[in-house]
Amino acid sequence: MFHLALLNLLQLDDGLEFSFTDKRRFAKIRLLDNPEAVPPISELGPDALCEPMQLDDFVQSFGRKNAPIKSLLLDQSFISGIGNWMADEVLYQARIHPMQTSSKISKEKCKALHRCIKEVIEKSVEVGADSNEFPENWIFHSREKKPGKAFVDGKKIDFVTVGGRTSAYVPELQMLDGADAAAANRSKKGRDNAEENVGKTSKKGQKAAPKEGGKAAQKMAVDEEEEDDEPAKRRAKGAKARPKKVGNTRADDHEEGGDEDEESNPANRGRRRPAKGPSKKEGRSSDVDDEGSPDKEETVVAAKRPQRKKR
């Protein structure tokens, strides 16, 4: 066994030179007496070009497999020699969806697939695998383009993953048949319903914004202004509820005599206190005498000085 990393050219005894190019450096060369009897070659299926299956055997073989057709074509133990791009090309030429179940392909589609495998491989070998020489109507020329920009004969190319490999196909021409189509429709409806429910839930949880200048917007603006003014109103209400103070003594205490001496307040010292008019408690003179005639003069009673509270 030789590792190609160390081997550039192998010359045989009869002068024949043998070389192998492996850019990915995964390959190995084994020298065996009977290669076909030893794995992995012994595990390979019939060669798609050199050992093609007869049509009846081909149809029966596909009828026994429940795997997607694209995965089956890539299975080298079933048919050897078909790679990823060639499987896409064969399925496109045969108008078969890459996810179609093999056992559910009609006999007519199996005949078309059998024929297209032969034609695609023969044409590739004929031009020496030079992709520039491939027919223009092959999907090969556009399968490497980005989704939405890939077209063949004016028809859109879509992409799907089958068997772990990216598969290019034309939805307009390659449609699922039978039970696969029904299953795909059910799956699509389920996804659509799930997306619709998610959209409804997200819209329900969001509060609709009022239109600018509408009644709802004006009401919201008024509510916001009232909320902003609420602290100021509470402060004003609290200030109004508290009794007004005169110096250190409340006004109502001062009128009733108070508990503190006004002279104890430095602001009131040295000031002459105006005399109070007569109050009802001090017996203010009546405005009418015993005979019912009004008095000419009113008796002025001096204001009583509040007593100092003992400490």
Side-chain angles (χ1 to χ4, degrees), residues 2 7-8 29 36 42 47 56 116 153 162 282 291-292 296:
F2 299 92
L7 179 66
N8 294 324
I29 294 179
E36 295 181 357
S42 62
D47 187 279
D56 292 339
C116 291
D153 287 343
V162 184
E282 296 172 352
E291 297 179 357
K296 296 181 179 179

Side-chain angles (χ1 to χ4, degrees), residues 61 75 121 183 308:
S61 297
D75 185 357
I121 295 178
R308 184 187 297 273

Side-chain angles (χ1 to χ4, degrees), residues 59-131:
V59 174
Q60 292 179 4
S61 297
F62 276 87
R64 293 192 294 264
K65 302 293 183 179
N66 289 323
I69 183 61
K70 172 67 181 290
S71 299
L72 193 60
L73 291 176
L74 294 177
D75 185 357
Q76 300 301 302
S77 64
F78 182 71
I79 298 177
S80 61
I82 298 178
N84 191 38
W85 76 263
M86 189 172 288
D88 285 351
E89 193 63 53
V90 167
L91 292 173
Y92 169 67
Q93 299 297 333
R95 303 298 191 256
I96 299 175
H97 195 287
M99 295 187 69
Q100 182 73 53
T101 303
S102 301
S103 60
K104 293 180 174 59
I105 297 177
S106 63
K107 187 175 182 179
E108 290 73 17
K109 289 287 184 71
C110 281
K111 290 181 180 180
L113 182 61
H114 184 270
R115 172 177 51 82
C116 291
I117 289 175
K118 181 176 182 295
E119 292 176 354
V120 170
I121 295 178
E122 286 181 347
K123 184 62 177 179
S124 300
V125 173
E126 178 185 341
V127 298
D130 184 359
S131 59

Side-chain angles (χ1 to χ4, degrees), residues 238-310:
K240 184 177 181 181
R242 289 193 298 272
K244 184 177 180 181
K245 288 187 177 182
V246 179
N248 293 332
T249 307
R250 292 189 307 178
D252 53 354
D253 293 341
H254 180 71
E255 291 177 358
E256 296 176 1
D259 294 334
E260 296 182 4
D261 190 1
E262 288 184 325
E263 294 183 358
S264 62
N265 188 351
N268 296 330
R269 292 176 184 175
R271 294 184 181 180
R272 179 175 295 178
R273 186 172 181 272
K276 274 188 175 183
S279 62
K280 294 180 181 180
K281 293 182 180 180
E282 296 172 352
R284 189 186 63 176
S285 60
S286 176
D287 295 337
V288 181
D289 57 7
D290 295 338
E291 297 179 357
S293 61
D295 296 337
K296 296 181 179 179
E297 295 181 359
E298 292 181 357
T299 305
V300 178
V301 181
K304 185 178 179 181
R305 183 173 183 178
Q307 299 296 323
R308 184 187 297 273
K309 185 179 179 180
K310 294 183 180 182

Side-chain angles (χ1 to χ4, degrees), residues 184-197:
N185 290 334
R186 288 194 299 269
S187 178
K188 184 177 183 300
K189 288 181 180 179
R191 289 194 301 269
D192 294 342
N193 292 336
E195 293 176 357
E196 184 178 355
N197 292 334

